[in-house]
Each structure stands twice: as structure tokens, then as C-alpha cells.
Amino acid sequence: MTSPRAKSAAYPPRAAPAVDPQVAERERVALGWLHTAHFLTSAPQLEHLPPVDLPEIAFVGRSNAGKSTAINTLTQQTRLAFASKTPGRTQHINLFGIGKQKVDDAVLADLPGYGYAAVPREAKLRWQRVMGNYLMTRESLRGVVLMCDPRHGLTELDEILLDVIRPRVEQGLKFLVLLTKSDKLTRNEAAKVLSITRLNAGGGEVKLFSALKKQGVGEAAELLWRWVHPDDAAAPTPVPPPAEDA
């Protein structure tokens, strides 16, 4: 009797890339810093926002792009950023302070999602003006994080936002596109959309991000840390020498 055909051997899993201990430590520090985020204030209009003398990082994006989820994931909190049950209905600018030992050294600004069809046209236009004025005139603004669903790519409204901030980016404003929900892409799809978005990002950085798979979370956190602490981030984290045996 012939023996049953042996099952073909499975390909061995691809080895995970080695993690640089210094990079891992910087990401750990950055995530610990972001975890201190706490609510400061909310404003329905730009003129109601208090001036701040700390670096401010704004999070923007179309409704349903995963902005609130990304903020909550980066800060390791479940309800810091509020996602309305009706996308596009949350129409306030929310500020969150971050800083260790209860001393804030930066501010996160959560701007309303834009472009949702259910929002009345007048409200859309009003918030486009508010966001435009904020992005062009907010003196404390240090960087902008744009959330983008990679399955749809940069939309017309995203391109308008890029045009608004381009003069400030040329003057040194930091800019990052987070391709949220990247776990829904295949490896080839992710590589393609990453390449295309980098070409269209106008000088900004682009990173894949998945709240579900925790992809890119530490990397994005470390980048935001460097925006606020460029001097601290320039030097590598020292590795302590091994303890000597007694």
C-alpha cells in the first residue's frame, strides 16, 4: 500500500526585523510622554481658543478617517478624543495638554473632521474657514498630523488642506500623513499607497498606521516627541553599562 502523500512543508515565517534598543527606548519615552495627555479646553470658534506659549500639534482629517481612534491609540487612552456617533457632528476644537510630572510642555489640538455628507453645507463652509484660519494663523502651531484612509487616498479636501499649510511647511512647520487603517491593506497595496502618498505629501512625512495592529504607533509617537524636543531627541539614549559582579 502506498503511503499517503506528505504535506508540503510550509514556508518559514518571515523573521521580524531586529529592534534597535535605542530606538525602542526613544519610542517608549515618547509613548510615556503622550500618555500624560489630558483635556484643557474646547472652543467652538478660533477666537475662543486661548493663546498658548507651548508647541502645538494639530490633528486633522476627513470624518471617518480614524482621527479620534489614532489620538486615543497614541495617548493609550480610550476616551480622550471623542468620536461622535454621527461623523462630522463634533464641531469644536479640543486642546489637550501633555507633559511629564504634571508640567505641560506641548499641546495637542483635535480639529473637527471635515467632508462628511450629512453635515449641512453652511456648517461645512464655516468649519473650512475656521480650520483654514487656524492652520494659517495659529502662532503656537508646530506641526500638523493629517489622517488619511489609504483605501481612498488623499481626497480633494485633503489636497486643499495641503495647499493651505504649504507656505508654513516651507517655513518649517512639521507635517505628517498617517495612513490609518493600514491593516486592511495587503503588503503590496500598502507599499503602493505609501509611495504614491509620499509623492503627493508636499514635503511631509508619511507613515503607515494601524490602531488595531498597533502598527506604526511607536514610530509616530517618537516623531511627535522629536517635533517638540528636537534637542533631546538628537542625542541617542545612553545604554547603561552592565552591572559588575560583586
Side-chain angles (χ1 to χ4, degrees):
M1 186 174 68
T2 58
S3 60
R5 180 179 300 176
K7 294 182 179 179
S8 59
Y11 288 104
R14 180 175 297 182
V19 178
D20 185 322
Q22 293 185 346
V23 172
E25 175 64 13
R26 288 197 294 266
E27 291 183 359
R28 185 192 67 79
V29 170
L31 287 167
W33 171 67
L34 284 171
H35 186 53
T36 67
H38 57 278
F39 178 77
L40 289 179
T41 189
S42 182
Q45 296 284 353
L46 182 61
E47 57 267 25
H48 297 152
L49 275 182
V52 297
D53 57 359
L54 298 174
E56 196 163 292
I57 298 174
F59 286 77
V60 300
R62 282 180 58 88
S63 301
N64 280 347
K67 178 167 59 66
S68 297
T69 300
I71 293 174
N72 290 336
T73 300
L74 285 167
T75 59
Q76 306 118 78
Q77 300 187 38
T78 57
R79 296 282 291 174
L80 182 70
F82 177 74
S84 173
K85 293 182 179 179
T86 304
R89 293 292 186 182
T90 305
Q91 298 191 349
H92 283 66
I93 299 174
N94 298 307
L95 298 185
F96 308 101
I98 45 178
K100 294 185 176 181
Q101 299 178 343
K102 298 184 178 180
V103 178
D104 291 345
D105 60 4
V107 172
L108 301 182
D110 181 14
L111 273 64
Y114 52 84
Y116 193 66
V119 177
R121 183 173 182 274
E122 291 182 2
K124 288 182 185 179
L125 294 176
R126 178 172 67 86
W127 274 108
Q128 286 176 13
R129 289 193 295 269
V130 170
M131 290 179 62
N133 289 335
Y134 170 90
L135 294 169
M136 289 188 293
T137 66
R138 185 72 167 170
E139 293 184 0
S140 53
L141 188 63
R142 175 70 58 84
V144 175
V145 182
L146 170 64
M147 310 295 170
C148 173
D149 187 331
R151 296 170 297 177
H152 307 304
L154 293 173
T155 65
E156 181 180 359
L157 289 175
D158 295 327
E159 296 285 358
I160 292 173
L161 184 143
L162 292 177
D163 287 338
V164 167
I165 68 171
R166 183 165 287 114
R168 296 196 67 175
V169 171
E170 293 172 353
Q171 296 170 4
L173 180 73
K174 305 298 184 181
F175 179 55
L176 167 66
V177 179
L178 277 188
L179 298 172
T180 59
K181 308 178 184 181
S182 61
D183 54 280
K184 299 182 182 296
L185 304 177
T186 66
R187 189 185 301 272
N188 288 338
E189 289 171 341
K192 182 178 180 180
V193 72
L194 191 62
S195 176
I196 293 174
T197 308
R198 281 172 174 162
L199 290 174
N200 298 327
E205 298 197 47
V206 183
K207 296 187 182 298
L208 296 169
F209 187 92
S210 169
L212 180 64
K213 302 292 187 180
K214 299 298 185 287
Q215 177 186 14
V217 176
E219 190 178 1
E222 198 268 339
L223 179 59
L224 301 188
W225 165 268
R226 282 193 279 120
W227 287 0
V228 176
H229 312 91
D231 296 333
D232 293 344
T237 304
V239 178
E244 295 182 0
D245 295 334

